[in-house]
Amino acid sequence: MRAVRHKLRMWNGIALATALSLAVGVVSGFFDGPKTDPESVVERFAAALTEGDIGEAAELTSYPAAAEAAITQAFDGLHAEKATFDVNQYIPLGDDAGIFNATADWSFGDGKNWQYNIDGRVRKLSIGWRVSWQPQTLAPGLGQGRTLRYDRTDAAPPRVFDIAGNLMMTEQRINTVTLDPGAMPDPVFSTNRLAKVIEPVAPLITGPTLMQELAATPGQRITAVSLRDDDFAVLEDDLRAVPGVVIDQRLKLISNDRRVSGPMVDAMRNVWQLNRDATAGWAVHAVDPDGTLIRQTGFQGPPGPDIRSTLDPRVQLAAEEAVVSVGTPAVIVMMQPSTGAVLAVTQNNQAAEMGPVAFTGQFPAGSALDLVGAAATAQNTDIQHAARQLGLGMDYKMPGLEQRTDDLDGKGANLMRTESGPDTDKQVKVSPLGMTLVAASVARGSTAVPVIAAGQPATTDESPAPMPREVNDRLRTMMWENVHRGPASMLAEHGDLIGMTGSFEDDRWFYGSKGDLAFAVFVKDADGSDQAVKMTSKLFKEMAKPPTP
């Protein structure tokens, strides 16, 4: 009997433990499982949207497939940094319906927020309580096939004037003519026909050259030419008749005078774009299926100020005429010493293929740095210090312009002049802009600070001690003697022009000043030891000509 009672107690204990376990499980499930009452469903819907759990939010609606598509599009179209949905109030409407109010806040950064209230409904379906799906439950403006989109907005574009106050650059529509190989039954016919159509404006583009470009990028579109509206208007019908031609039209800031081009024009586009970016606004649009935009919110401030470039078209055009007089890479940079205004920057086609080398190119200075070495010797200092006094290596920061004047860092401690010989790696390298700064600094008697847009001068954290006046006078004397008694004597006819020649292997430099004008001329792989001097002479002869309309 004792054994039986023992077994009964054991089985009773097991049964009690099992019952307790089941009870705990039920209680745990009651507390841990998602609440299914209507107010909790609304709270879960808002929480899922806040967490970006689109699938969970959609499943809590009466029409999950439609809800998921709309919510996905909204999150993708707005690409907000953060979205927050908070339930403000729930009101029951009997046993099978209710209404709620919530607040939505989409944050796009920098104080850009879209806030609105949502009025929604919740219903009891056969599968439980669900948020009644309507597109407006997510955001106003939705419905009827509309989508949401965050857009940048821009005020009226600033105008760009030259140094004389004349309109220099405007935003115009550019028509880019491309060829689609997939739409050309006969590529030879299309390329030859297109070349014939654009011959009046682009005579160097031929059918064979277009075929070569197509062969170099099989299956891809190639750009044949970009046309201003006035040229495009004349050629449009003939262009569109060529099989395979596709026209891409975009707005672009371009020179009013198509002869004016080069690195300064590119730099002014950057300055212009910085102006646009600083004044950019924003908007949230509901987009109709036909593309109509319906503004929901946003802000657009006033336009930025117009831009006054330092470029002087007359000087620029003279420099462009001079720089094309050689068949190897050549660069001319010109500056006003008194103000630091960069008046002209030009590169011939050979130099342009190397990039914006007028501002960033690093070429061996060779003997062109002898003037800096003389300044260092006269002050019993190192060449790096003297170079800073003359504008080289000042680590200038210029809005809209990437530039580098030299690579002197770490090379100037005991260097009194450049290394000689063919070892390029041991050479101090400089840019044409850097040598222009040297000429401008000597001309003004203090370190020149470049500027390409009025009111936006270059800045630097460095402040070298000024060069003593007697040292600067000695440098000017060296430059005068170089022109009047030295290798640049052909330039003596240009009045008060002074300057220094320089060379490294076949590269040639000439930099100097004339009145309130400083400049540097660089010719790479020059055909002749006096090539830079000849280009300088041509430059000033071009400037002496009367301006053409």
Side-chain angles (χ1 to χ4, degrees):
M1 286 294 294
R2 254 184 267 168
V4 170
R5 282 198 296 272
H6 176 73
K7 288 180 179 180
L8 285 173
R9 284 197 297 272
M10 182 179 70
W11 284 110
N12 287 339
I14 293 172
L16 179 61
T18 302
L20 287 171
S21 176
L22 289 171
V24 169
V26 170
V27 172
S28 174
F30 176 78
F31 285 108
D32 293 343
K35 295 182 180 181
T36 58
D37 61 283
E39 188 169 0
S40 296
V41 168
V42 173
E43 291 281 359
R44 287 166 55 199
F45 175 69
L49 289 175
T50 298
E51 294 166 5
D53 190 342
I54 295 174
E56 171 67 13
E59 286 298 324
L60 292 170
T61 69
S62 60
Y63 194 172
E68 182 166 7
I71 298 170
T72 298
Q73 187 286 314
F75 274 77
D76 290 345
L78 296 177
H79 48 84
E81 292 184 1
K82 184 180 180 181
T84 304
F85 293 79
D86 293 308
V87 178
N88 300 321
Q89 187 179 28
Y90 170 76
I91 301 175
L93 299 176
D95 295 333
D96 59 357
I99 58 175
F100 66 91
N101 175 267
T103 300
D105 185 354
W106 298 81
S107 175
F108 305 104
D110 298 326
K112 296 179 286 190
N113 290 74
W114 183 27
Q115 298 174 333
Y116 54 85
N117 284 330
I118 298 170
D119 291 317
R121 301 181 66 87
V122 62
R123 291 187 300 156
K124 188 175 185 180
L125 306 178
S126 60
I127 56 174
W129 287 93
R130 293 292 185 270
V131 173
S132 295
W133 174 251
Q134 294 290 335
Q136 296 85 351
T137 305
L138 177 65
L142 291 180
Q144 301 178 336
R146 292 173 184 158
T147 56
L148 287 177
R149 194 175 77 197
Y150 175 89
D151 290 316
R152 166 180 166 143
T153 63
D154 284 297
R159 296 170 298 174
V160 180
F161 296 90
D162 63 30
I163 196 169
N166 300 312
L167 192 61
M168 172 183 157
M169 301 177 74
T170 53
E171 190 178 44
Q172 299 180 33
R173 187 173 63 178
I174 296 298
N175 306 272
T176 301
V177 180
T178 63
L179 277 173
D180 182 359
M184 289 189 293
D186 186 345
V188 173
F189 172 81
S190 290
T191 52
N192 286 334
R193 179 59 186 156
L194 176 58
K196 186 66 176 177
V197 171
I198 63 177
E199 185 178 10
V201 294
L204 299 181
I205 298 175
T206 66
T209 60
L210 293 172
M211 284 296 296
Q212 288 176 4
E213 290 188 48
L214 287 169
T217 55
Q220 298 181 25
R221 290 183 181 182
I222 64 165
T223 298
V225 68
S226 293
L227 302 173
R228 299 177 186 232
D229 261 352
D230 50 356
D231 291 331
F232 181 70
V234 175
L235 304 176
E236 180 177 6
D237 291 343
D238 290 336
L239 287 169
R240 295 191 184 279
V242 178
V245 161
V246 179
I247 309 297
D248 180 25
Q249 297 178 319
R250 296 182 183 179
L251 292 173
K252 184 178 180 180
L253 184 71
I254 61 175
S255 297
N256 284 13
D257 185 341
R258 64 184 71 201
R259 298 174 300 170
V260 175
S261 61
M264 267 288 279
V265 171
D266 295 334
M268 293 317 301
R269 288 195 182 101
N270 296 335
V271 173
W272 181 86
Q273 189 60 54
L274 288 173
N275 181 301
R276 299 282 271 165
D277 293 344
T279 60
W282 65 282
V284 171
H285 289 115
V287 186
D288 267 339
D290 65 1
T292 301
L293 300 181
I294 305 166
R295 185 185 174 95
Q296 304 300 306
T297 188
F299 173 79
Q300 176 59 63
D306 289 334
I307 298 166
R308 184 77 169 265
S309 169
T310 62
L311 187 140
D312 185 327
R314 184 183 68 86
V315 178
Q316 176 73 21
L317 291 173
E320 289 181 10
E321 286 294 325
V323 82
V324 297
S325 62
V326 299
T328 60
V331 180
I332 296 176
V333 178
M334 307 187 75
M335 176 184 292
Q336 191 176 55
S338 61
T339 63
V342 179
L343 303 175
V345 181
T346 185
Q347 307 174 169
N348 63 6
N349 290 338
Q350 294 86 341
E353 291 176 358
M354 303 167 65
V357 293
F359 290 125
T360 61
Q362 296 291 288
F363 304 103
S367 59
L369 214 64
D370 284 354
L371 194 74
V372 183
T377 300
Q379 299 176 86
N380 194 27
T381 186
D382 64 73
I383 199 170
Q384 194 164 17
H385 175 76
R388 296 290 189 271
Q389 293 174 310
L390 293 170
L392 284 175
M394 287 289 287
D395 193 24
Y396 286 121
K397 297 176 179 63
M398 300 179 68
L401 179 64
E402 180 184 353
Q403 52 78 38
R404 184 182 178 193
T405 58
D406 71 9
D407 69 345
L408 270 168
D409 289 342
K411 295 184 179 180
N414 299 299
L415 183 62
M416 301 306 291
R417 58 165 290 141
T418 53
E419 298 281 348
S420 60
D423 192 346
T424 305
D425 292 337
K426 292 183 180 179
Q427 285 290 322
V428 173
K429 296 182 178 67
V430 293
S431 69
L433 173 64
M435 296 311 296
T436 307
L437 286 170
V438 171
S441 297
V442 174
R444 63 179 280 136
S446 60
T447 307
V449 178
V451 57
I452 62 171
Q456 302 182 46
T459 59
T460 180
D461 296 330
E462 301 192 42
S463 54
M467 186 174 293
R469 181 173 178 177
E470 62 273 15
V471 175
N472 195 76
D473 288 344
R474 186 178 304 179
L475 301 184
R476 290 182 58 83
T477 298
M478 290 176 61
M479 297 168 76
W480 184 91
E481 290 180 345
N482 188 270
V483 170
H484 291 271
R485 299 175 183 171
S489 58
M490 74 165 60
L491 298 175
E493 64 178 303
H494 296 289
D496 58 343
L497 188 152
I498 62 174
M500 291 292 291
T501 55
S503 64
F504 175 77
E505 296 184 342
D506 289 332
D507 295 350
R508 295 293 180 266
W509 292 92
F510 187 81
Y511 61 97
S513 63
K514 176 177 169 57
D516 196 19
L517 186 65
F519 60 91
V521 172
F522 173 71
V523 183
K524 184 174 177 57
D525 300 325
D527 181 16
S529 60
D530 58 353
Q531 193 74 268
V533 173
K534 286 181 177 179
M535 186 178 292
T536 302
S537 181
K538 182 171 179 59
L539 167 65
F540 283 95
K541 287 177 179 177
E542 289 292 333
M543 289 185 61
K545 293 179 179 179
T548 56

